[in-house]
Amino acid sequence: MANIDQIIMFGAGLWMTASGFGFVQTNTQMPWLVQLTRHFLWMGPLLIVIAVVLLFAPS
């Protein structure tokens, strides 16, 4: 149960990646949110990599 933070980060990274590539639709007309969703293209995979690195890092 000590790795629950990494599991949550991994899941959030998957959601961000799916949202960035358009697999998960965000129905909004607010320009700042549309621009933020475009950044999910690189933030999602980065979060996944960080979660995996932290999972195997010695504590």
Side-chain angles (χ1 to χ4, degrees), residues 6-30:
Q6 286 79 19
I7 294 169
I8 292 170
M9 285 175 57
F10 187 80
L14 287 177
W15 176 82
M16 288 173 71
T17 303
S19 180
F21 282 105
F23 294 116
V24 177
Q25 295 296 322
T26 53
N27 297 327
T28 183
Q29 299 298 326
M30 294 186 288

